[in-house]
Amino acid sequence: MTKQIEIKVPDIGDFSDIPVIEVLVANGDSVDAEQSLLTLESDKATMEVPTPVSGVIREVRVGLEDTVSEGDVVVVIDADEAAADSGKEAQPEQTKEPATKAESPVAENKPAPPAAAKPAPAMPAPPSAGSRQSPPVPMDAQSTLPGKAPYASPAIRRFARELGVDLLRVTGTSRGGRIVREDVTAFVKSVMSGAAAPASGGLGFDLPPPPKVNFSRYGDVELQPLSKIQKVSGAYLHRNWVSIPHVTQNDLADTTDMEAFRKDNKARAEEQGYKLTPLVFLIKASVAALKEFPGFNASLDESGDNLVLKKYFHIGIAVDTPDGLVVPVIRDCDQKDIFQLAEELANLSQRAREGKLKPIEMQGGCFSISSLGGIGGTSFTPIINAPEVAILGVSRARISPQWDGEEFQPRTMLPLSLSYDHRVIDGANGARFLRFLAASLEDFENMDS
Ligand code: CAO
């Protein structure tokens, strides 16, 4: 035998017209006493409306985004008559599963105040015949603060617990980053398919997936697929960024004399059909520094226990192309002068922009240079190009006043940023390497490269 019971919104303190943000049941669903039916969310708090009785849902009278106030009938249940008449199920404090903080107020029969500084909601009046109310279950303040704890209802927490899912790893897609049932199932699917790392024992970092945002809700958007180069290089950049402990050391090189020399020789290069830019001097200075500090011209072997020291000097140059970043390698830079390097750089970068580089021309590098000096900037953090252990970033040179001990002199100062792998290079050597490289530029005519 069943008895029809109307479930009403209980006393929820000073709140009224509260939006329904989650409907957790549908007509025909079987529910147990204390199971959550709806979630309501005011500006200041989120709370659930549980059923005090078990039975079958006959009618759900509210939908998402509806607003409700105390006393509104939200669900009609065909309750098991014995249960409907039993005081046991009408007493929410006897819920079986007071496992989380969010649920404990029910177990204590004392709803905690919602996150708002409002008075605690009063306990519901004794149910009248034919209608039942359980107190709303306020979520604890922590759980409404994204970043501090997962923002999820007790029902979702229970669901996640059943599946063994750590909600800290799940990104909520509902309003305010709230985790809903679909987020938990999507997370489980992504782990099963290998897209997300399992919680432990894997090589992943246990990071939550990025938030899913429907940007068109906020304005016009257009979809632009990533280029093939962006997809491939993006995956490598990501791997290198998360798997190598980067430290970036910054310094300035006084390139006043070098610039004077470069300007005197620009015409000679241009006659040959290429430009003489600071980059070729940087290649030579890098070779000089790699010779002085062999630990930078090295890679970790597969075991991670040994450094492979290289006796050759092949330098990769990051080139910005319409399709994305590529890094062609100039071989044997120790055996070429600045004019040969400038010619080869012009050739490689032009073919890179035309998409004509052969794979072999992008392999075998010892050390890379990423120059944004033609564009601007004062410093940046270049990402190490594994299996190399360091990379030089170059920003735009500027004339600035430098104190010579007696007065300020206008000098051309070139900003340099060296990122190195802290597993194999310590900070002191990072600073020494970059200072040596800068000093080589400052005394470029005597550099040993
Ligand atoms: N300070 C001041 N001026 C600089 C400079 C610097 N550090 N570096 C270059 N310049 C000047 C050059 O001298 C040139 O001016 P002039 O013609 O008057 O001499 C102008 O800026 C343009 O130089 P350029 O960029 O064409 O040539 P380059 O040799 O410096 O660089 C290349 C060649 C291929 C590296 C560059 O074109 C490029 O693609 N840079 C982008 C690299 C990149 O994207 N890095 C980021 C990787 S991580 O996403």
Side-chain angles (χ1 to χ4, degrees), residues 266-280:
K266 258 175 93 171
R268 177 179 156 192
E270 275 159 18
E271 278 165 24
Q272 308 295 318
Y274 52 84
K275 285 200 293 189
L276 191 62
T277 65
L279 191 47
V280 287

Side-chain angles (χ1 to χ4, degrees), residues 262 266 275-279 317-320 325 345 349 353 370-375 394-397 414:
R262 188 176 73 83
K266 258 175 93 171
K275 285 200 293 189
L276 191 62
T277 65
L279 191 47
I317 306 294
V319 176
D320 179 30
L325 176 72
L345 175 64
S349 52
R353 289 185 175 122
S370 174
S371 174
L372 296 173
I375 301 167
V394 184
S395 298
R396 190 163 188 80
L414 178 67

Side-chain angles (χ1 to χ4, degrees), residues 152-356:
S153 66
I156 298 303
R157 287 166 190 273
R158 200 156 40 230
F159 179 54
R161 266 202 311 280
E162 280 164 17
L163 296 177
V165 169
D166 175 2
L167 281 179
L168 279 169
R169 305 181 65 218
V170 179
T171 302
T173 58
S174 190
R175 203 151 53 115
R178 192 160 195 281
I179 298 169
V180 290
R181 197 179 174 91
E182 289 70 30
D183 298 326
V184 179
T185 48
F187 175 79
V188 171
K189 276 186 200 157
S190 70
V191 170
M192 298 305 287
S193 70
S200 60
L203 296 173
F205 288 85
D206 281 4
L207 298 175
K212 291 179 202 152
V213 179
N214 178 3
F215 298 102
S216 58
R217 284 177 60 197
Y218 309 109
D220 278 350
V221 293
E222 161 191 337
L223 213 59
Q224 180 181 302
L226 292 182
S227 70
K228 198 174 159 203
I229 290 179
Q230 281 177 312
K231 282 191 199 162
V232 173
S233 64
Y236 290 133
L237 287 166
H238 186 195
R239 179 201 59 196
N240 296 347
W241 181 246
V242 299
S243 65
I244 301 172
H246 283 65
V247 176
T248 303
Q249 170 78 16
N250 296 298
D251 208 336
L252 289 168
D254 183 335
T255 54
T256 312
D257 298 342
M258 186 200 93
E259 276 300 297
F261 176 89
R262 188 176 73 83
K263 281 183 185 129
D264 288 347
N265 287 276
K266 258 175 93 171
R268 177 179 156 192
E270 275 159 18
E271 278 165 24
Q272 308 295 318
Y274 52 84
K275 285 200 293 189
L276 191 62
T277 65
L279 191 47
V280 287
F281 296 85
L282 284 152
I283 295 173
K284 290 306 265 183
S286 299
V287 171
L290 291 172
K291 284 183 177 173
E292 185 72 17
F293 298 89
F296 285 74
N297 193 11
S299 292
L300 275 173
D301 72 1
E302 277 176 31
S303 71
D305 292 334
N306 306 293
L307 269 185
V308 180
L309 300 174
K310 298 160 197 170
K311 310 293 179 183
Y312 49 83
F313 299 89
H314 303 341
I315 307 291
I317 306 294
V319 176
D320 179 30
T321 80
D323 288 329
L325 176 72
V326 291
V327 187
V329 174
I330 305 182
R331 285 172 198 277
D332 301 314
C333 295
D334 55 322
Q335 295 164 33
K336 295 171 183 169
D337 66 27
I338 51 169
F339 296 98
Q340 290 169 310
L341 290 173
E343 186 171 11
E344 196 168 338
L345 175 64
N347 178 289
L348 277 176
S349 52
Q350 185 180 336
R351 288 195 300 114
R353 289 185 175 122
E354 291 166 354
K356 291 184 179 161

Side-chain angles (χ1 to χ4, degrees), residues 404-435:
D404 70 1
E406 291 179 358
E407 56 188 344
F408 283 105
Q409 300 288 348
R411 305 294 293 179
T412 302
M413 305 303 291
L414 178 67
L416 303 171
S417 305
L418 176 81
S419 290
Y420 57 86
D421 182 340
H422 210 350
R423 292 172 301 181
V424 293
I425 294 164
D426 61 31
N429 270 343
R432 284 190 194 107
F433 179 93
L434 191 57
R435 188 82 292 281

Side-chain angles (χ1 to χ4, degrees), residues 23-68:
V23 179
L24 302 165
V25 290
N27 294 352
D29 283 358
S30 293
V31 288
D32 294 327
E34 299 318 321
Q35 186 172 330
S36 294
L37 305 174
L38 310 172
T39 310
L40 313 179
E41 187 177 66
S42 74
D43 289 347
K44 309 224 171 110
T46 302
M47 58 209 98
E48 297 212 341
V49 178
T51 169
V53 294
S54 56
V56 175
I57 304 291
R58 168 177 280 268
E59 189 185 352
V60 178
R61 293 210 180 151
V62 289
L64 281 182
E65 309 295 331
D66 284 352
T67 57
V68 294

